[in-house]
Amino acid sequence: MALSRPRYSKIERLASDLLSESKIKRPPVPIEAMVRSRDIEIHFGKLEDVSGLIVREGNHVFIGINEDDSDNRQRFTLAHEFGHFLLHPGQNAWYDRKYRSEISSKAVDVEEIEANFFAASILMPPDFLRKDQAQRYVDIEDGDAVKDLAKKYNVSTQAMNLRLLNLIGRL
Ligand SMILES: [Zn+2]
């Protein structure tokens, strides 16, 4: 199945449904527990130039994460692979190489854009950010404030910055 463009609203709904099903109401989102609750096996290991991969063999699903990446990066990659699992059932394996930036605008394939968008949506949900912004408004120009917010969500400052940019007018 070739997708012509990313299914943004479907993906946002999916992420928000998963969070409410798991009764997760505040950051940081326990992405590892969410993935494991689906009987997906996660392994952390040395993967050289691969940041993450997912392989399906029948009912067995296996995600590999590069342990040499930063913790934030590993969380984002795990959420990205989980996105492939949920959104792209037709394909049995994905290998995501390191040169792929977590900035989705640099992703080339629609599937990669979708997996990145899913990762951003589940790790930095609009509802959570809206509450944070109501308590203490974070100006995107304020580097220290964005950094603090990123820490709270266990994501990179770069990922948070991009997320806030994408959500301008919605928070
Ligand atoms: Zn991918």
Side-chain angles (χ1 to χ4, degrees):
M1 176 186 63
L3 296 163
S4 55
R5 55 185 158 136
R7 298 163 293 176
Y8 291 118
S9 45
K10 179 197 157 114
I11 293 167
E12 277 208 323
R13 261 199 320 275
L14 173 67
S16 119
D17 288 350
L18 288 171
L19 291 166
S20 23
E21 272 167 32
S22 306
K23 301 192 169 42
I24 296 159
K25 296 189 173 75
R26 59 186 66 85
V29 170
I31 189 67
E32 198 175 322
M34 291 180 83
V35 172
R36 289 196 200 275
S37 76
R38 298 274 174 141
D39 284 332
I40 298 172
E41 221 178 285
I42 309 170
H43 284 268
F44 297 88
K46 307 239 176 249
L47 297 175
E48 296 183 4
D49 69 329
V50 170
S51 54
L53 58 94
I54 178 164
V55 177
R56 275 180 242 253
E57 284 169 346
N59 290 330
H60 187 118
V61 186
F62 169 98
I63 289 177
I65 300 291
N66 195 322
E67 65 181 10
D68 293 329
D69 286 344
S70 71
D71 287 352
N72 288 338
R73 181 61 195 252
Q74 290 184 37
R75 274 168 59 76
F76 198 94
T77 303
L78 181 55
H80 175 105
E81 302 307 332
F82 191 35
H84 280 313
F85 168 76
L86 296 164
L87 299 163
H88 311 128
Q91 189 153 330
N92 287 328
W94 296 88
Y95 292 88
D96 290 301
R97 299 197 180 273
K98 270 190 197 292
Y99 59 74
R100 172 186 59 73
S101 167
E102 68 186 39
I103 295 179
S104 60
S105 59
K106 285 188 186 163
V108 278
D109 300 330
V110 174
E111 283 87 353
E112 291 315 311
I113 295 170
E114 286 198 336
N116 278 341
F117 185 69
F118 174 80
S121 302
I122 200 146
L123 295 176
M124 296 166 278
D127 290 353
F128 293 17
L129 287 169
R130 206 167 288 128
K131 268 182 230 157
D132 282 326
Q133 290 291 59
Q135 274 173 14
R136 177 199 171 199
Y137 186 76
V138 171
D139 190 314
I140 201 155
E141 306 276 313
D142 182 348
D144 287 340
V146 176
K147 200 171 164 186
D148 286 349
L149 195 59
K151 251 186 208 151
K152 186 170 179 182
Y153 284 72
N154 286 3
V155 298
S156 71
T157 307
Q158 186 196 23
M160 180 56 79
N161 204 60
L162 183 75
R163 185 69 174 145
L164 292 176
L165 263 176
N166 286 337
L167 289 173
I168 275 177
R170 288 186 50 198
L171 297 177

